[in-house]
Amino acid sequence: IKVGAGPRYITYDPSNGYLYVAGSLFGRVSVINSSTNKVICTIQVGTFPSGIAYDPTNGYIYVTNCGCDTVSVINSSTNKVIGKIEVGTHPMGIVYDPSNGYLYVANSGCCYVSVINSSTNKVICTIKVGAGPRYITYDPSNGYLYVTDSNFVCSQVSVINPSTNKVIGTIKVGVQPEGIVYDPSNGYLYVANYISGTVSVISTVIEYEVKFVESGLPSGTPWSVTLDGVTKTSTTNTIVFEEPNGVYSYTVGSVKGYIVSQSSGTVNVDNSNVTVSLTFTQISTQTSTYTSTQTTTQTSTTTSITHTTTHTSTTTPTVPTTTTSPSSFPITYIIIAVVIIAVAVAVILIRKR
């Protein structure tokens, strides 16, 4: 498809199915009908058009004009320029933020990003970033904006929180970063480093500390925790995981001779660190002895039997008990009775004589 001289940037308009190509040399935007792959018209904008973006809230196309420090507003239903917005020096990259409906413009000739309210088409604020900001993208996984600061000294990516419109961090990348794009399949950002000839891969997932702290174990005793399928072991009193927002299950490994206050549960990571306290209690071992005495009538013999039982518990041992069976009738009484009867019989026989 033949378009104007020096085509550099392109965007798609889902409202009409057209493609809009910024041709930097003659300050024109070419409009392509994607069903026929033919240019249906050209739109004159500012000097040296660079970045281009579609705003779904109003259906307009926004084009940064690097040579005249403006942004042209195109009504895609008529394909005509309906306005011009003054921004910073040498604007290049532009992106729409669906979280607040604003447009963010990277001004490469200064250290600022211009924020445009598309409902009024006016700049509402500027954000100071690194030197030479060129391109910018939006990360829907965390709602942040990422700007490439292409100056040789910086060579970094500035991170903007659009809820406050402030820079919350910077990320060092290769020399003179330019293009930047978000990959929704893995949640990574990819940065093209012009001088280095490399692409930096940035993980934008924010992770928080999930710390398990134990008490009760002797120093140096190994213990373990499994969180979300990952097991970690420590001989100190802490085990630390790093997790993004979400709810995670955990289990605490058993330690011989101890019971733990909570052997399993869940933790909810919600934009902050989480600490779980665990208490190990030693299981006490006690021994109790009791004696029982049994006497049998058949043998008239008393037998003493001693039982020793070991109890493993944390309760008071059973009080010793003694059981005694009744003794047999004494044989001495029988002998005395027999003697008395024999004496009586002898007395009777003597008297008869």
Side-chain angles (χ1 to χ4, degrees):
I1 305 170
K2 188 175 182 179
V3 293
R8 298 192 71 181
Y9 304 99
I10 187 170
T11 193
Y12 172 73
D13 183 343
S15 68
N16 57 19
Y18 295 164
L19 297 164
Y20 291 78
V21 184
S24 61
L25 293 185
F26 296 110
R28 296 172 183 167
V29 171
S30 298
V31 184
I32 299 172
N33 185 337
S34 59
S35 63
T36 62
N37 286 332
K38 293 185 181 299
V39 175
I40 59 173
C41 70
T42 58
I43 306 167
Q44 191 69 43
V45 290
T47 307
F48 204 77
S50 297
I52 187 167
Y54 170 75
D55 183 341
T57 60
N58 57 20
Y60 295 163
I61 303 292
Y62 291 80
V63 184
T64 59
N65 302 304
C66 186
C68 58
D69 304 337
T70 62
V71 172
S72 296
V73 185
I74 299 172
N75 185 337
S76 61
S77 63
T78 62
N79 285 329
K80 294 185 181 300
V81 174
I82 60 170
K84 183 175 65 175
I85 306 168
E86 299 284 342
V87 289
T89 308
H90 304 322
M92 294 191 71
I94 183 171
V95 70
Y96 170 77
D97 184 344
S99 70
N100 57 20
Y102 296 160
L103 290 155
Y104 290 77
V105 180
N107 302 299
S108 63
C110 58
C111 301
Y112 292 93
V113 169
S114 299
V115 183
I116 299 173
N117 184 340
S118 61
S119 64
T120 62
N121 284 331
K122 294 184 182 298
V123 174
I124 59 172
C125 70
T126 56
I127 306 168
K128 184 173 175 56
V129 291
R134 289 208 176 186
Y135 301 101
I136 186 169
T137 194
Y138 172 75
D139 183 345
S141 69
N142 58 23
Y144 294 158
L145 297 161
Y146 294 81
V147 186
T148 56
D149 301 324
S150 61
N151 183 276
F152 280 83
V153 177
C154 288
S155 294
Q156 64 185 21
V157 173
S158 293
V159 185
I160 297 173
N161 183 344
S163 65
T164 60
N165 283 328
K166 294 184 182 299
V167 173
I168 60 172
T170 58
I171 305 166
K172 294 297 292 184
V173 289
V175 181
Q176 196 175 332
E178 300 245 352
I180 183 169
V181 67
Y182 170 76
D183 184 345
S185 68
N186 57 18
Y188 294 159
L189 287 168
Y190 292 82
V191 181
N193 304 303
Y194 183 75
I195 297 298
S196 297
T198 61
V199 173
S200 299
V201 183
I202 301 172
S203 174
T204 64
V205 178
I206 301 175
E207 294 185 333
Y208 298 92
E209 183 180 89
V210 180
K211 181 189 294 184
F212 292 84
V213 181
E214 71 82 16
S215 61
L217 291 178
S219 178
T221 301
W223 63 291
S224 65
V225 175
T226 300
L227 179 69
D228 196 32
V230 177
T231 301
K232 289 189 177 183
T233 302
S234 176
T235 54
T236 68
N237 71 328
T238 60
I239 293 177
V240 179
F241 296 85
E242 298 287 337
E243 298 291 347
N245 286 336
V247 179
Y248 304 93
S249 298
Y250 72 86
T251 56
V252 181
S254 60
V255 178
K256 186 177 181 181
Y258 289 84
I259 57 173
V260 66
S261 57
Q262 192 167 341
S263 60
S264 63
T266 59
V267 292
N268 182 18
V269 180
D270 185 14
N271 296 316
S272 62
N273 297 329
V274 179
T275 299
V276 180
S277 298
L278 303 170
T279 302
F280 285 87
T281 304
Q282 188 174 17
I283 303 172
S284 62
T285 302
Q286 298 181 356
T287 301
S288 61
T289 303
Y290 64 93
T291 303
S292 65
T293 303
Q294 298 176 344
T295 305
T296 58
T297 57
Q298 289 82 354
T299 60
S300 298
T301 303
T302 299
T303 304
S304 178
I305 303 173
T306 301
H307 301 272
T308 302
T309 305
T310 301
H311 301 274
T312 302
S313 66
T314 58
T315 60
T316 306
T318 306
V319 178
T321 59
T322 303
T323 304
T324 306
S325 60
S327 60
S328 60
F329 189 81
I331 195 170
T332 304
Y333 295 156
I334 298 174
I335 295 173
I336 293 173
V338 171
V339 172
I340 293 172
I341 293 172
V343 171
V345 171
V347 171
I348 293 170
L349 292 177
I350 294 173
R351 288 180 176 177
K352 288 183 176 182
R353 291 180 181 174

